[in-house]
Amino acid sequence: MNANGNLMKRRVLNDQPWDAALKSGRAAAEPNLRINMSAAVFVFILTLSTLNGVVSGVLRSPTNVQVTSRDLNLILSWDPPAEAPSGLIYTTELMSSIGKHNPGCVNITTFQCELSNFGISPYGTYIGKVRALLGEEASAWAESKTITLDIDTLISPPSVSLLPIGQTLEISIKEPEFYTSSLRSVYSKVSYNITYWKDDQEMMQEKTLSNIRQDRVILDELDPLTKYCVQVRIITLRNKNPSEPSGVLCERTGDTDNSPMVAAVIVCVVIAVAVVMTVLAVVKWKSISHFLWPKVSLPRHFEKSLLDTPESSVYLITQPTEEIALVSVVTVEEGSPERTKESSYNKQLNGTVGDSCLPGD
């Protein structure tokens, strides 16, 4: 018994290192196995999600759908769906606040649609919609946020021009053109904020004229021979966004303030000269008309020759004449019955008569 028991103890002791090694090997292999299984599951899920849109016939909708407006136009834009298959086309719709659906761009490949041509109103509220198409498959509609044109549209900057007049600057403002209607037709109260300053970085002190309603403004009380810069912005009460500022425009003032006075004097002189010339033309019109259109009279001998009866041979030739008739007379003499004698008498109607006798043989 003791010998057998010792033998079994030795076997158990000899087997313990092998069991420990086996257990440690299994423990080291389990993390790698788990990582491989996780990677396989991830690849399977990714492949399934990628093929889901094509295999199952369900397309993903476009993303980042939004409508924007500038000067009362309406633009719908979007991004393609994630991992979109090739060959996608898009169709859009425009929905108004009263629930009316208007078709927009159809079967386009770009990611933008101009909805301004589909019956929009400057005061309308709209939602843009878009969906993707692939063959006979169609995604669900993706919608944008609501936009109200006259409140949310961005107004472009105005056009500004500067004209130096002496020590002043005349500012001319031109409003931007709207896609539909015009600025003052849509907004009843429009004003300008005009900011101006000297073009001197060390002494830059801005001055602002607010709520200016005229499109022509004179900046006075400026320094002579000084460069000023101007910028204009449009303000409306109903639109929450002020317009973009105009580009900075700079101009130098003149030397003195006499230019307007000189211009006024020149205008007055021109008007006075024009009035004097008009009065002289009215008073001396008869003399002027005789000078411009003199009367023409013929010499007396020309008038007499035209009034007298012409006696020239040419005139007489042209008068009508009577024809002269030739008369022949035949007589028979006694004792000569076989012989005859002809006599011809010619009578002229101009007062002369002549006889001629023709002797017989």
Side-chain angles (χ1 to χ4, degrees):
M1 292 291 293
N2 291 333
N4 293 332
N6 293 332
L7 182 60
M8 293 181 65
K9 288 180 179 180
R10 288 178 182 176
R11 289 179 178 177
V12 171
L13 292 174
N14 292 334
D15 292 340
Q16 285 181 355
W18 294 100
D19 294 339
L22 182 60
K23 290 180 180 180
S24 62
R26 289 178 178 177
E30 283 181 358
N32 294 331
L33 183 60
R34 290 176 181 175
I35 293 174
N36 293 334
M37 291 183 63
S38 300
V41 171
F42 176 76
V43 171
F44 175 76
I45 295 174
L46 183 61
T47 305
L48 183 62
S49 62
T50 303
L51 298 176
N52 183 41
V54 178
V55 175
S56 64
V58 177
L59 293 177
R60 293 183 179 181
S61 302
T63 60
N64 194 25
V65 181
Q66 57 183 344
V67 284
T68 57
S69 175
R70 174 181 289 273
D71 299 333
L72 293 182
N73 70 348
L74 191 60
I75 304 294
L76 175 65
S77 60
W78 61 89
D79 293 332
E83 302 176 0
S86 60
L88 279 182
I89 58 177
Y90 302 93
T91 295
T92 63
E93 280 189 0
L94 181 64
M95 183 174 65
S96 64
S97 57
I98 60 176
K100 183 179 179 181
H101 292 260
N102 292 330
C105 302
V106 178
N107 298 334
I108 61 175
T109 57
T110 58
F111 308 135
Q112 180 175 297
C113 174
E114 173 77 57
L115 295 175
S116 306
N117 301 322
F118 297 97
I120 64 174
S121 169
Y123 311 101
T125 300
Y126 301 100
I127 295 176
K129 301 173 62 178
V130 60
R131 66 177 179 179
L133 302 173
L134 181 63
E136 297 182 356
E137 304 295 333
S139 71
W141 287 101
E143 297 183 356
S144 68
K145 294 182 179 179
T146 302
I147 185 173
T148 302
L149 286 184
D150 60 331
I151 297 176
D152 299 321
T153 190
L154 297 177
I155 301 176
S156 297
S159 300
V160 180
S161 61
L162 286 180
L163 178 63
I165 304 176
Q167 291 182 216
T168 65
L169 290 177
E170 183 184 64
I171 305 175
S172 299
I173 305 171
K174 184 179 180 182
E175 300 167 353
E177 295 183 359
F178 276 16
Y179 191 87
T180 58
S181 189
S182 62
L183 177 68
R184 295 187 180 271
S185 298
V186 177
Y187 303 103
S188 58
K189 295 183 179 180
V190 178
S191 60
Y192 306 104
N193 285 354
I194 301 175
T195 303
Y196 65 98
W197 62 92
K198 291 182 180 179
D199 188 23
D200 190 345
Q201 298 297 330
E202 298 179 358
M203 302 175 57
M204 185 174 179
Q205 296 179 352
E206 294 184 353
K207 296 182 180 181
T208 302
L209 302 178
S210 302
N211 298 324
I212 303 299
R213 298 184 179 276
Q214 296 81 13
D215 56 3
R216 290 182 180 271
V217 180
I218 300 295
L219 297 181
D220 53 5
E221 298 181 0
L222 304 179
D223 296 336
L225 300 177
T226 304
K227 194 173 184 180
Y228 285 86
C229 297
V230 177
Q231 194 172 45
V232 182
R233 187 188 296 267
I234 299 175
I235 304 296
T236 61
L237 294 181
R238 194 161 65 250
N239 192 302
K240 63 183 181 181
N241 304 313
S243 77
E244 298 175 356
S246 66
V248 177
L249 193 63
C250 300
E251 193 63 62
R252 186 179 299 275
T253 57
D255 187 8
T256 60
D257 199 18
N258 295 328
S259 297
M261 184 63 68
V262 172
V265 171
I266 293 175
V267 171
C268 291
V269 170
V270 171
I271 293 175
V273 171
V275 171
V276 171
M277 295 297 292
T278 303
V279 172
L280 290 177
V282 173
V283 173
K284 300 294 184 178
W285 174 250
K286 188 174 182 180
S287 300
I288 294 174
S289 62
H290 288 169
F291 175 76
L292 296 177
W293 299 285
K295 291 183 178 180
V296 179
S297 58
L298 294 174
R300 292 184 177 273
H301 63 280
F302 282 175
E303 294 180 358
K304 185 177 180 181
S305 63
L306 291 175
L307 295 176
D308 292 345
T309 302
E311 297 179 355
S312 64
S313 60
V314 175
Y315 176 79
L316 294 176
I317 290 173
T318 59
Q319 297 298 315
T321 57
E322 294 183 2
E323 295 182 357
I324 301 174
L326 182 62
V327 179
S328 298
V329 178
V330 178
T331 59
V332 178
E333 294 181 358
E334 294 181 358
S336 301
E338 294 180 357
R339 299 183 64 183
T340 60
K341 187 179 182 179
E342 295 183 354
S343 298
S344 298
Y345 299 92
N346 297 328
K347 184 179 181 180
Q348 298 180 355
L349 297 178
N350 58 359
T352 61
V353 176
D355 297 333
S356 65
C357 297
L358 299 176
D361 292 338

